[in-house]
């Protein structure tokens, strides 16, 4: 099996991993950024970012490209691959298994982010890709001029509903409470858009098929228990995110919800294993906090490698 050796391996090239790459390479480390998808992480699927300081508005793909080019220019190496697992070797280094190849590194930063949580209701799996989507930027255009529903009440649901309202005839936001969780600025924007309609206090019972694709959503009022049918061509599910930590599950560094536990220096309880970004147990999951974590993790990893090297 092909084996590559680095000082530092960063798993995931979203804003956390790319920023860690910039800081680590500038500190003189030989660093690999291992990524299984497109560099930029969740930013790639975000239309407009309006809260990354210095950019009043920048598209997600553009910011992804800028960060990626920046990291590469500093000397951080991009390694394409899907990390299967991470093992701490007896000599204290780390083996990162990518299936067909192996990367060995003195230290590791896990920056694998999160994945959209499914609703787990009947019809969801079967109709995914046939009317049900988890990405408005990717699939919104299929529903141009048609009716769609967005499920959820957080930043993702409201931001993506606003995006969809520009394409679709009608956008229903189906939310289980009578108050949104999303930032006020997004709420106010959504409330001002004529073709967005709020469906409050309502949960999805099932997604129903018509002519081989999504035809309607069976909903239930949590207040009255009444069951209704919402006729839509598309449904976009934004009911939260789950951390991607399967590759480190053997290391015992996650909390009960699966997030990686870190201290303010982005250290896990295992020497030489650090984490950054959305995958960590923190409050605010944003591009700016991911880049912050990445910078700290790289600096701490650099100090760890320097100290370990000097004393060995
Ligand atoms: P991610 O961006 O999730 O990147 C993680 C990377 O790790 C991914 O590229 C993934 O492919 C890779 N990876 C995972 N597992 C593996 C593996 N086993 N092997 C190799 N690679 C792996 N924040 C804002 O500040 N402003 C916004 O406007 C905004 N809009 C958003 C809109 C939506 C719809 C969503 C879902 C989020 C939005 N966010 C926004 C939040 C922001 O995108 C995240 O906080 C940020 O991307 C987290 O960065 P990260 O690097 O921690 O993780
Ligand atoms: P989130 O903040 O966890 O919100 C999930 C939403 O889905 C909540 O409104 C929740 O309802 C609802 N929900 C959860 N489980 C449900 C279920 N089983 N049935 C029905 N509804 C359910 O997730 P998110 O909106 O994806 O945001 C994730 C992170 O990314 C956040 O930190 C967010 O700030 C960030 N983000 C930021 C931006 C931005 O800055 N512009 C944009 C997108 C995302 P309750 O409210 O009742 O709990």
């Amino acid at each position: 099996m092909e084996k590559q050796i680095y000082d530092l391996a960063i798993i995931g090239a979203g804003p956390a991993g790319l920023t860690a790459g910039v800081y680590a390479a500038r500190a003189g480390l030989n660093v690999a950024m291992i990524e299984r998808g497109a560099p930029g992480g969740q930013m790639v699927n975000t239309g407009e970012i309006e809260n990354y300081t210095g950019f009043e508005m920048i598209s997600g793909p553009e910011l992804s490209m800028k960060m990626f080019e920046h990291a590469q220019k500093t000397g951080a190496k991009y390694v394409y691959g899907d990390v299967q697992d991470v093992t701490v070797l007896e000599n204290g280094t780390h083996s990162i298994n990518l299936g067909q190849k192996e990367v060995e590194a003195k230290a590791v930063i896990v920056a694998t982010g999160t994945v959209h949580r499914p609703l787990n209701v009947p019809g969801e799996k079967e109709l995914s890709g046939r009317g049900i989507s988890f990405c408005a930027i990717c699939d919104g255009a299929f529903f141009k001029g048609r009716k769609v529903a967005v499920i959820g009440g957080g930043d993702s649901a409201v931001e993506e509903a606003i995006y969809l309202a520009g394409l679709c005839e009608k956008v229903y936001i189906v939310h289980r409470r009578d108050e949104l969780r999303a930032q006020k600025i997004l709420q106010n924007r959504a409330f001002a858009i004529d073709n967005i309609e709020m469906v409050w206090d309502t949960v999805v019972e099932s997604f129903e098929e018509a002519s081989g694709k999504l035809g309607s959503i069976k909903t239930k009022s949590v207040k009255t228990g009444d069951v209704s049918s919402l006729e839509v061509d598309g449904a976009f599910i934004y009911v939260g995110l789950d951390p991607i930590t399967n590759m480190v599950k053997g290391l015992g560094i996650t909390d009960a919800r699966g997030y990686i536990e870190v201290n303010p220096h982005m250290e896990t309880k295992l020497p030489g294993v650090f984490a950054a970004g959305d995958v960590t147990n923190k409050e605010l999951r944003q591009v700016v906090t991911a880049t912050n974590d990445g910078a700290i993790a790289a600096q701490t990893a650099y100090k760890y490698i320097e100290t370990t090297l000097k004393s060995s």
Side-chain angles (χ1 to χ4, degrees):
M1 192 194 286
E2 187 198 339
K3 184 165 159 182
Q4 298 173 2
I5 298 177
Y6 291 91
D7 293 326
L8 175 66
I10 300 166
I11 309 173
L18 291 169
T19 307
V22 169
Y23 276 72
R26 283 173 61 88
L29 297 181
N30 180 20
V31 51
M33 304 179 297
I34 308 168
E35 171 58 55
R36 67 181 178 189
Q42 292 192 32
M43 295 191 302
V44 175
N45 297 325
T46 301
E48 292 174 356
I49 294 175
E50 297 180 342
N51 51 3
Y52 188 63
T53 322
F55 296 92
E56 273 173 49
M57 201 286 280
I58 183 163
S59 85
E62 192 185 347
L63 187 56
S64 299
M65 217 18 83
K66 280 184 183 294
M67 287 191 191
F68 181 49
E69 283 169 7
H70 189 176
Q72 284 201 307
K73 277 186 189 151
T74 59
K77 307 229 174 34
Y78 176 68
V79 174
Y80 180 74
D82 187 358
V83 174
Q84 307 296 310
D85 60 41
V86 177
T87 320
V88 182
L89 303 175
E90 271 179 21
N91 63 3
T93 63
H94 306 80
S95 165
I96 296 116
N97 171 12
L98 280 77
Q100 299 300 318
K101 58 187 170 201
E102 182 194 353
V103 165
E104 196 176 305
K106 293 173 186 127
V108 181
I109 297 175
V110 184
T112 45
T114 53
V115 63
H116 288 294
R117 185 181 299 151
L119 260 178
N120 290 321
V121 297
E124 182 182 26
K125 255 195 203 138
E126 297 80 349
L127 294 169
S128 278
R130 291 192 288 139
I132 296 182
S133 167
F134 292 81
C135 178
I137 304 300
C138 322
D139 300 329
F142 295 125
F143 303 96
K144 208 168 177 187
R146 296 157 87 178
K147 289 184 185 160
V148 299
V150 172
I151 323 297
D155 284 340
S156 296
V158 177
E159 193 167 75
E160 300 314 305
I162 294 168
Y163 169 77
L164 288 166
L167 293 172
C168 303
E169 182 200 329
K170 178 99 183 171
V171 180
Y172 299 100
I173 298 181
V174 180
H175 184 38
R176 64 182 176 185
R177 292 189 289 136
D178 62 359
E179 199 186 358
L180 294 170
R181 178 181 292 278
Q183 302 160 46
K184 276 281 178 284
I185 189 167
L186 294 176
Q187 294 194 24
N188 293 340
R189 241 179 244 173
F191 294 152
I193 297 175
D194 286 341
N195 62 339
I196 293 184
E197 183 178 327
M198 300 303 307
V199 184
W200 297 113
D201 298 311
T202 299
V203 290
V204 172
E205 291 271 280
S206 62
F207 293 101
E208 303 293 326
E209 183 179 325
S211 313
K213 48 192 175 53
L214 178 69
S216 62
I217 305 175
K218 193 169 150 193
T219 61
K220 185 169 149 191
S221 161
V222 294
K223 289 243 161 101
T224 63
D226 288 349
V227 173
S228 316
S229 178
L230 192 62
E231 285 195 16
V232 288
D233 303 293
F236 291 84
I237 301 174
Y238 287 107
V239 294
L241 306 165
D242 288 321
I244 303 173
T245 51
N246 55 304
M247 79 298 297
V248 291
K249 69 174 183 288
L251 300 182
I253 56 174
T254 52
D255 67 13
R257 296 181 308 149
Y259 287 97
I260 299 180
E261 289 183 293
V262 287
N263 66 17
H265 306 292
M266 301 298 140
E267 293 167 304
T268 69
K269 67 180 183 192
L270 282 184
V273 180
F274 309 87
D278 278 11
V279 77
T280 64
N281 59 333
K282 62 177 185 177
E283 278 293 313
L284 186 61
R285 293 192 169 81
Q286 296 277 287
V287 173
V288 76
T289 59
T291 57
N292 165 77
D293 293 351
I296 295 170
Q299 178 65 8
T300 314
Y302 167 73
K303 284 186 189 159
Y304 169 82
I305 290 167
E306 285 287 284
T307 316
T308 313
L309 282 181
K310 277 193 188 129
S311 59
S312 62

